[in-house]
Amino acid sequence: MIIVRVMGGLGNQLQQYALFRKFQSLGVETKLDLSWFSQKTQESAAAPRKFALADFDGLSLPTASGDEVRALLGRAYEEEAGLAEKIKRRLAPGKTSLFEETQMYHPQIFSWQNRYLVGYWACEAYYADILNSLREEIRFPESGGARNREVMDSMAAQPSVSIHVRRGDYLDAANAAMFGGICTEAYYDACVRYIKEKCPDAVFYVFSDDADYVRAHFAGPAFHIVDWNRGEDSFYDMQLMSCCKHNICANSTFSFWGARLNGNPDKIMLRPSIHKNTQTCVPEQMKKLWAGWTLVTPGGNVLL
């Protein structure tokens, strides 16, 4: 059995779900471990999150029991493992059923039948071949807001483009060191210019957790600030992004999935050339692993 650990926010959970579905498409028995969302784990988590996959309509979410996890690992993941066990896993990964993601893409995982997988699995190459079926099954519940429905109609009738600007927690010192300085003003200016070259009449819908900031930086009649889906309803911002014809993403899995769920066959998807400051962009590799995406550097260079 393959067990995929689910953790993090909505975008990360969707990536873990997509990997789970990829294994299922290969005929491998696969389940999800949801223990990260237990009250005990959330109380000690640096960034607590809710289990959001249950909010979609009708997703099948077969869950691994504690006994199934222990049968695969020999003991529970982090909660019970001592220091010696953790060192053993790092030094001799082939001696344990646990596998932890350490790089962008690990194609060897698809040769396995019995592993416990821990990671975020952001790379498009993991599940690019099943994205069409994922778009069919990942269905948002009906939004109670008339404003969302009105905007969806407008997006369908226009050459609409989503822009995602993530600030919020990315401004914290620790997160800024990891994620800051990537989606710069030069990045967004280059993305907007690129879209306008391809689509001169583009209408932009700007999504952010800092509405005041984006109002100041995206002014003019072509820009519309989407600022009403808050708290639990922020879920619907991803749906609205997916309704746009094209997508400009932040270094955020939330907007990656807004673009992935966009069913427009002619869509333009722009993303930053790196997701974290610890990464180095190798354009040839990135274009292979993120087929269909256009990469833009923090300095505003479009990597064609």
Side-chain angles (χ1 to χ4, degrees), residues 206-244:
V206 186
F207 301 81
S208 181
D209 49 10
D210 190 339
D212 291 338
Y213 175 87
V214 294
R215 282 196 189 93
H217 287 78
F218 297 93
F223 296 95
H224 303 277
I225 310 302
V226 179
D227 63 355
W228 55 85
N229 289 318
R230 299 178 181 176
E232 294 290 319
D233 285 344
S234 62
F235 177 84
Y236 288 107
D237 275 357
M238 184 185 289
Q239 182 183 31
L240 293 179
M241 290 178 194
S242 75
C243 292
C244 288

Side-chain angles (χ1 to χ4, degrees), residues 24 33 57 100 184 189 193 210 268:
Q24 284 195 325
D33 177 13
D57 283 344
E100 297 180 84
T184 60
D189 287 346
R193 283 197 306 272
D210 190 339
I268 299 169

Side-chain angles (χ1 to χ4, degrees), residues 161-166 182-184 187-188 191 195 207 241 246-260 268-275 290 293-294 296:
V161 185
S162 71
I163 300 177
H164 184 217
V165 180
R166 181 168 175 177
I182 294 174
C183 290
T184 60
Y187 167 79
Y188 285 111
C191 289
I195 289 287
F207 301 81
M241 290 178 194
H246 311 290
N247 309 95
I248 297 172
C249 298
N251 54 332
S252 167
T253 59
F254 188 92
S255 51
F256 288 173
W257 277 96
R260 285 166 172 160
I268 299 169
M269 301 182 294
L270 295 111
R271 59 148 290 173
S273 57
I274 57 173
H275 189 87
W290 290 77
W293 291 76
T294 299
V296 182

Side-chain angles (χ1 to χ4, degrees), residues 9 20 47 87 113 296:
F20 149 78
I87 293 173
Q113 298 287 321
V296 182

